[in-house]
Amino acid sequence: MTHEQRTGPVRPPTPPHPDRPPTAAHDSLAELSARCAAWLGAERDRIEGELRAAYGKPPGTAVKEQHPAPDSVPPAAVPLIELLDRLAGLAGDPPAADGPVLDRVRRGVVAALTASGVTPVEDTGPVDPARHHVVATRDDPSGLLSDRIAETVRPGYLWRDVLLRPQEVVSYVPYVGPRPPRAEAERGRRDAR
């Protein structure tokens, strides 16, 4: 006779509850779902509060919707934004004679986006995580430009007050100085003993 035949089928362990120790009683799926949703909501609020404190936003400031309903955005916006990205990638490749042509096409695409209510975001100044996506960093030896935009890699786009795509930026970070190679650091520790 096997262990399973003597004791019955093996049940999976009960998941632990963050607010109380595990018990033998099983909660219903609805209760577990409600607790998880409450915990996720509290975590979101905590993280949002930390970000607001770090970037100087008052706690009552409303956060704008990051992803609008798909039917509300002009249908031509996404293909036009993709075309602008492709044109930006071609800017250095064509012969000099094509430069004015590409610039004219780019201005036409931007005008079409603007007519549909979409505006480019090319901010300067402090990095705002709600509007900017940091893709790289650059040292700031002066210490005066930390957490500010050094350059724009790709512009972002707004439709009305809704962010369609965040601006991709390079951000300044505090300069920490050169670090000694690992072998020199090890030698320095041995000499200090």
Side-chain angles (χ1 to χ4, degrees), residues 126-161:
V127 173
D128 181 356
R131 290 175 58 99
H132 309 125
H133 177 70
V134 177
V135 296
T137 59
R138 184 175 295 159
D139 287 336
D140 172 28
S142 71
L144 301 174
L145 301 173
S146 294
D147 297 323
R148 297 183 70 81
I149 297 172
E151 70 178 273
T152 297
V153 176
R154 271 187 358 169
Y157 293 94
L158 284 172
W159 180 69
R160 297 182 181 157
D161 285 334

Side-chain angles (χ1 to χ4, degrees), residues 85-152:
D85 289 342
R86 280 190 241 129
L87 288 173
L90 294 174
D93 294 341
D98 289 341
V101 173
L102 284 178
D103 188 48
R104 186 170 184 191
V105 171
R106 183 186 177 285
R107 284 182 295 177
V109 173
V110 170
L113 279 171
T114 303
S116 66
V118 176
T119 55
V121 176
E122 295 190 66
D123 297 336
T124 58
V127 173
D128 181 356
R131 290 175 58 99
H132 309 125
H133 177 70
V134 177
V135 296
T137 59
R138 184 175 295 159
D139 287 336
D140 172 28
S142 71
L144 301 174
L145 301 173
S146 294
D147 297 323
R148 297 183 70 81
I149 297 172
E151 70 178 273
T152 297

Side-chain angles (χ1 to χ4, degrees), residues 26-136:
H26 292 275
D27 291 338
S28 72
L29 186 57
E31 291 173 358
L32 180 62
S33 176
R35 275 200 326 275
C36 288
W39 181 81
L40 286 172
E43 279 298 295
R44 183 198 62 224
D45 293 343
R46 181 187 64 78
I47 292 168
E48 185 177 294
E50 288 176 8
L51 288 172
R52 288 182 191 284
Y55 291 96
K57 301 272 187 207
T61 308
V63 176
K64 294 179 183 166
E65 177 74 21
Q66 291 290 327
H67 302 285
D71 58 346
S72 62
V73 178
V78 173
L80 289 174
I81 290 170
E82 289 173 358
L83 177 60
L84 282 174
D85 289 342
R86 280 190 241 129
L87 288 173
L90 294 174
D93 294 341
D98 289 341
V101 173
L102 284 178
D103 188 48
R104 186 170 184 191
V105 171
R106 183 186 177 285
R107 284 182 295 177
V109 173
V110 170
L113 279 171
T114 303
S116 66
V118 176
T119 55
V121 176
E122 295 190 66
D123 297 336
T124 58
V127 173
D128 181 356
R131 290 175 58 99
H132 309 125
H133 177 70
V134 177
V135 296

